Amino acid sequence: MSFYVTTPIYYVNAQPHLGHAYTSIAADVLARHHRRRGDDTFFLTGTDEHGEPVADAARAQGLEPRAWADLNAEKFKALLPAIGVAPDFFIRTTDAEHKRRVQEVLQRVYDNGHVYKGLYEGWYCPRCADFKTESEILDGNRCPIHEIELTREQEENWFFRLSAFQGRLEQLFESQPDFVAPARARHEAQAFIAQGLQDVSLSRAKLRWGVEVPWDEGHVFYVWFDALLNYYTALGYARAGEDLTARYWPPSVHLVGKEILKFHTLYWPAMLWAAGLELPRQVFVHGFLQGSDGRKMSKSLGNGLDPFAVLERYGADALRFYLLRDVSFGGDGNVGMDAVASRYEAELANEYGNLVSRTLAMLVRYRDGRIPEAPVDPVLESELASLAAEVAAAIDGVDPSGGLELIWQRVRRLNRYVEERKPWELARDQDASTSLDSVLVTLHRGLQVVTTELGPYMPDTSARVLQALAAIPLEVIPPLFPKTP
Ligand code: MSP
């Protein structure tokens, strides 16, 4: 089985922040999980570097767009190892191979008769790089996302005949209801279709910073089509001398935030049809992380969560755990440093960390670090045996938070087991030696199972604990989740 997962490619006109880390972490958890299951896995992320927002930001810094993009792409790349995210390839839309393939695919779309020249007039948001419909805009002709005033723009453009795909899209959503998940996102996409799809601009004449339209050199492609195609072009050159397209196309799942649903669930499938390419199996639309007060995170409100502050204080595994644990993946959720601190102490340090240190310490104290030969408690054995399949089902449903909850139920079960069986009392009773063996073996086995399942979420912690379980260290190991100042 192959598994191909992507994140949106991030605009280089901003600094990497928690929202970018969030989608990348979720994709990384899916990729690590599938890889462990033996699936032939490919995980793609990268940066979106063309278009007006980037050209404008570069100009504001007194730089050429390419120089500005180079600077910022490095920051997005550097974020990944810091948060434990290991993609198979990092695409930049300024890569020559990407641009060449964008031209190839869109030339095909043109040759297939899906493109025409027309005059475009509409309300344009330079931050979204998108025209807005009358029904979307806020009072005072403002952008519904950025709330800035929109400009009325008119220009001669190449158009993509999106309207011609109306019926086919309706049919797609009916025949393949899980093409867009969760259901709320599917309904939103269907509501867009129900309004009636209009043709969309495929090129911009005013802008120079983009991929040139091969049949009309005065134009560059509208940045969104250049960007969407990254999911396809990357497979052609991610491995030198090898084309991975046949191996991984179509994608298993695109993870995207809810603000870019329209592009991924309407424009993208239509474009793929127009180019004669297979559609991804699923677009999974997740919610937004908001400040601790439920408002959009912003520096001026001081309600944001800085990923770098969390990394410094608690480390990458804790950040990954926190984001997928505190906000159910798919919905919106509020995040803040206080919540990180309380999850860290209550769950990572007290529940999981203690279970690990207690178990290792008892194996050393009572059995000199040897794992006794004894049967695992049959009740726990069966509860543990089903965990891997349950977590796999959650991950297949793109529910990493659900998977984590299933694991945590077992962590709590093991802690209850310790309280119930009181191994320290068994240790004082010479006749209870077999019982103590069984309790120790059960805890050891239980920790192996939960820690293996935790691997995709907390790769570092999991590797350290599995190593300690394989060869019990006789000296006291430092706490996994130390108290923080
Ligand atoms: N470049 C486009 C995407 C092109 S994909 C072909 C873009 N870039 S972006 O830099 O704005 O990144 C948007 C994505 O970052 C969101 O879709 C989401 O994945 C992530 N997030 C950014 N802010 C976020 C939150 N506050 N909360 C959750 N995710 C957020 O759009």
Side-chain angles (χ1 to χ4, degrees):
M1 261 265 290
S2 76
F3 180 76
Y4 176 24
V5 58
T6 67
T7 72
I9 48 171
Y10 306 112
Y11 285 132
V12 283
N13 59 340
Q15 303 295 314
H17 58 67
L18 189 72
H20 306 127
Y22 184 51
T23 318
S24 299
I25 287 171
D28 186 71
V29 169
L30 301 188
R32 285 179 193 265
H33 174 96
H34 278 274
R35 206 169 281 129
R36 205 197 57 215
R37 245 157 85 180
D39 291 339
D40 181 19
T41 300
F42 196 82
F43 166 21
L44 179 70
T45 187
T47 41
D48 187 353
E49 308 191 1
H50 290 129
E52 209 154 338
V54 175
D56 288 350
R59 198 173 313 120
Q61 299 294 320
L63 288 172
E64 284 301 312
R66 175 70 205 222
W68 170 248
D70 284 348
L71 269 178
N72 282 319
E74 275 316 308
K75 296 183 189 160
F76 280 90
K77 263 193 197 169
L79 174 69
L80 300 176
I83 57 178
V85 169
D88 294 288
F89 189 59
F90 188 98
I91 188 171
R92 298 184 55 188
T93 55
T94 47
D95 293 343
E97 299 92 329
H98 167 76
K99 294 196 278 187
R100 190 164 57 71
R101 285 177 171 84
V102 167
Q103 289 179 324
E104 259 167 39
V105 175
L106 293 176
Q107 178 72 52
R108 208 177 328 142
V109 171
Y110 177 83
D111 294 342
N112 291 346
H114 300 289
V115 176
Y116 64 93
K117 199 166 211 177
L119 193 70
Y120 201 99
E121 193 186 329
W123 294 108
Y124 184 78
C125 173
R127 302 260 300 273
C128 293
D130 189 20
F131 283 97
K132 302 286 161 186
T133 61
E134 294 287 345
S135 62
E136 275 177 288
I137 59 179
L138 306 177
D139 290 348
N141 301 323
R142 284 171 312 121
C143 169
I145 294 163
H146 297 101
E147 299 179 16
I148 55 171
E149 230 177 276
L150 303 176
T151 48
R152 194 80 190 161
E153 299 232 353
Q154 195 191 50
E155 68 176 33
E156 201 170 52
N157 269 198
W158 290 99
F159 276 82
F160 172 56
R161 244 181 256 283
L162 179 66
S163 60
F165 292 93
Q166 168 104 16
R168 213 165 158 188
L169 281 165
E170 281 166 3
Q171 216 187 347
L172 168 70
F173 281 79
E174 267 159 42
S175 63
Q176 207 185 309
D178 63 351
F179 175 67
V180 178
R184 183 180 12 80
R186 179 175 72 249
H187 296 146
E188 196 182 320
Q190 283 175 308
F192 270 121
I193 304 177
Q195 284 172 18
L197 296 176
Q198 297 186 357
D199 294 343
V200 289
S201 171
L202 180 69
S203 72
R204 306 294 321 273
K206 288 186 190 134
L207 198 70
R208 294 267 61 83
W209 180 237
V211 178
E212 278 185 10
V213 174
W215 64 85
D216 184 352
E217 285 183 2
H219 289 239
V220 296
F221 285 114
Y222 174 43
V223 63
W224 264 101
F225 290 108
D226 159 9
L228 285 163
L229 279 164
N230 90 87
Y231 304 132
Y232 178 76
T233 62
L235 295 179
Y237 69 100
R239 294 280 167 281
E242 212 182 328
D243 189 337
L244 301 175
T245 315
R247 184 161 158 199
Y248 295 115
W249 193 266
S252 311
V253 60
H254 293 307
L255 297 188
V256 301
K258 63 182 184 180
E259 84 289 12
I260 54 177
L261 169 143
K262 182 177 70 178
F263 300 99
H264 283 84
T265 63
L266 307 177
Y267 296 14
W268 180 225
M271 182 53 72
L272 288 170
W273 279 324
L277 294 171
E278 245 186 286
L279 302 199
R281 278 192 284 278
Q282 186 171 65
V283 178
F284 189 92
V285 182
H286 69 71
F288 256 61
L289 301 179
Q290 299 150 342
S292 46
D293 53 1
R295 296 160 76 182
K296 190 169 192 276
M297 282 187 248
S298 87
K299 283 220 175 81
S300 53
L301 289 174
N303 64 347
L305 180 61
D306 174 9
F308 299 100
V310 178
L311 290 173
E312 199 178 314
R313 205 178 297 176
Y314 299 104
D317 278 3
L319 174 69
R320 296 165 65 98
F321 171 84
Y322 170 74
L323 290 176
L324 294 173
R325 180 93 176 123
D326 215 37
V327 179
S328 174
F329 193 70
D332 297 331
N334 304 349
V335 292
M337 208 49 148
D338 289 348
V340 178
S342 68
R343 291 265 180 201
Y344 179 89
E345 270 154 44
E347 298 188 339
L348 289 179
N350 292 345
E351 293 184 328
Y352 179 71
N354 259 349
L355 179 64
V356 172
S357 55
R358 261 169 144 184
T359 302
L360 292 175
M362 289 191 291
L363 281 163
V364 171
R365 189 173 326 131
Y366 304 140
R367 294 296 180 261
D368 297 321
R370 278 189 299 275
I371 299 142
E373 303 260 337
V376 173
D377 184 302
V379 178
L380 265 93
E381 174 70 17
S382 76
E383 288 178 36
L384 292 165
S386 56
L387 182 63
E390 288 174 32
V391 173
I395 295 290
D396 286 344
V398 195
D399 183 13
S401 307
L404 198 45
E405 171 58 21
L406 291 164
I407 299 168
W408 225 254
Q409 285 168 6
R410 298 324 196 272
V411 169
R412 290 181 174 155
R413 179 72 181 92
L414 289 167
N415 276 320
R416 277 205 313 278
Y417 180 74
V418 176
E419 298 306 321
E420 282 161 19
R421 300 303 308 268
K422 301 189 175 38
W424 50 91
E425 284 182 6
L426 298 176
R428 286 199 292 268
D429 179 353
Q430 296 225 314
D431 299 333
S433 169
T434 347
S435 301
L436 180 58
D437 278 350
S438 166
V439 170
L440 293 175
V441 161
T442 301
L443 290 174
H444 182 267
R445 161 101 183 115
L447 267 181
Q448 248 169 356
V449 171
V450 298
T451 305
T452 302
E453 293 306 319
L454 278 177
Y457 298 89
M458 300 200 287
D460 236 43
T461 305
S462 168
R464 275 161 62 200
V465 174
L466 286 176
Q467 200 183 8
L469 290 171
I472 311 291
L474 293 180
E475 68 286 6
V476 178
I477 61 163
L480 286 173
F481 301 103
K483 288 252 173 290
T484 52

